[in-house]
Amino acid sequence: MDRMHALLLRTFLAPTSFVAAVMWTIWAQAAEPITVLAPFNLSGPQAALGAPCYRGAELAVEKLNAAGGVLGHRIELIPIDTASEVSRTTNELDSALERYPNATAGIGYTDSTYALDAGRVFQKAGIPFITPGATAPDLPNQVGSGMFLAAYGDDAQALAMAKYAWNELKVRNVALWVDETSVYTRTVGGFFEEFFRNLGGTVDRRNFAAEVMDFGDLIAAFKKADPKPQAIYGASMPRTAVSLIEQVRDAGIDVPLLSGDGWDDEAIVEASKRNGIENIYFTTHLFLGVDTPGMKEFTEAYKHKFGSPPPNAFAPLGFDSVNLLATAIERAASIQPDACGQPLRTPATSKDWSARLPTRRANASPRSRLPSSRSMMVPKCSFGRGCRSHNKRRTMTAD
């Protein structure tokens, strides 16, 4: 081939090759999924909250992908079951990050102890992490700029219950029983004690270990307490809540039983029905029976996909967390971790986020890495004689 022919060939092929390379890059990027690592406790005692939360996230991903994904990318949700063993959290996530080095974000956990360890792994990797259900308000400060809470903090729910007990139930003396082995229970119990004392009440606090299932000592202390407690606040998780509730009522103690969102569990409702137990109150993120189009649509979609309605508020929290991430990716116009994390750090009006959050009230947003909403529900479980309903809706504010 002479020099002229070679020059002409190179002149023709150079732009053609460049265009082909650009087209290949665009196609490859469009085909690349948005990988979201999802550490949850899908088995073991924590699964009562973790499994519904993950299913809610699954439902959101299915809905987004059916509509074409986000920025043209499908979302790939990678479940990581740590089986309610906190010691597994770091190793499981390190292993997952080795398998998925291009992960865009993490979404997971309903408990602050697990979320703290997971958040530190994601922070080190430079990947934003949204926890749907962990509520320790200092998690973002402990972890760093990549940690975000979709739920309200324990300070908010503890203050709401303290006010509710004081103003609505007219309680002045409380027995406080705290599971001392969990970040969540220590935190929510500590805040409740602080806020109730600030209102002028008295608190008789007793701690117990997570594995304790016999509450005889606490019940004996309750009966001897002076002044006599008018309510019991149980800062505990579902694994101990049913035993606590049943043993208190079997001992003839009929005062109101109070708690945080750790009692938002189907097993507690079923125990109340089975034994005719009345006057159980707990703070939670939203009431599943609320009569809004968004909640109705979510409940029906969840039931259709999984065969039963969502058992607690952690299911819609998982759903909303995925949609928060999707909105952040769209606002960033990027699937890169550093870029899509920025909108979650940026103060925004609730209007900017509410379009993708059909189960939320209008004032929910991830401002300051904690939700701006301070409204919450205080359902009442009552299944005594002549009572057919539960979850009587009360909306409280912590402001």
Side-chain angles (χ1 to χ4, degrees), residues 107-230:
I107 291 177
Y109 288 126
T110 60
D111 180 81
S112 297
T113 303
Y114 294 85
L116 177 60
D117 287 350
R120 286 170 172 163
V121 174
F122 283 113
Q123 181 75 23
K124 184 178 179 180
I127 295 173
F129 177 55
I130 300 172
T131 174
T135 48
D138 59 346
L139 280 174
N141 291 331
Q142 290 189 70
V143 172
S145 61
M147 179 84 197
F148 305 93
L149 273 64
Y152 54 65
D154 289 324
D155 51 345
Q157 66 169 320
L159 179 55
M161 183 55 85
K163 285 183 174 181
Y164 185 85
W166 186 269
N167 296 324
E168 302 293 328
L169 302 179
K170 308 303 180 185
V171 169
R172 297 297 180 262
N173 309 307
V174 172
L176 172 61
W177 298 352
V178 180
D179 175 352
E180 63 183 355
T181 55
S182 165
V183 171
Y184 158 69
T185 51
R186 292 196 306 269
T187 304
V188 73
F191 276 123
F192 178 83
E193 180 177 13
E194 175 187 345
F195 295 141
F196 195 76
R197 288 187 188 278
N198 288 344
L199 290 171
T202 66
V203 178
D204 180 29
R205 174 169 177 160
R206 310 277 172 166
N207 297 334
F208 65 93
E211 64 272 13
V212 168
M213 300 300 287
D214 182 348
F215 295 93
D217 290 345
L218 295 179
I219 290 170
F222 174 93
K223 292 182 174 181
K224 294 178 181 177
D226 185 22
K228 182 177 177 57
Q230 300 163 296

Side-chain angles (χ1 to χ4, degrees), residues 86-106:
V86 71
S87 60
R88 293 176 54 174
T89 305
T90 299
N91 290 339
E92 293 282 0
L93 280 176
D94 282 340
S95 177
L97 286 168
E98 289 180 4
R99 298 193 306 273
Y100 300 96
N102 296 322
T104 294

Side-chain angles (χ1 to χ4, degrees), residues 294-309:
M295 182 55 70
K296 285 182 178 178
E297 180 183 353
F298 170 78
T299 300
E300 287 303 314
Y302 188 100
K303 185 176 180 179
H304 177 76
K305 182 173 177 61
F306 301 110
S308 60

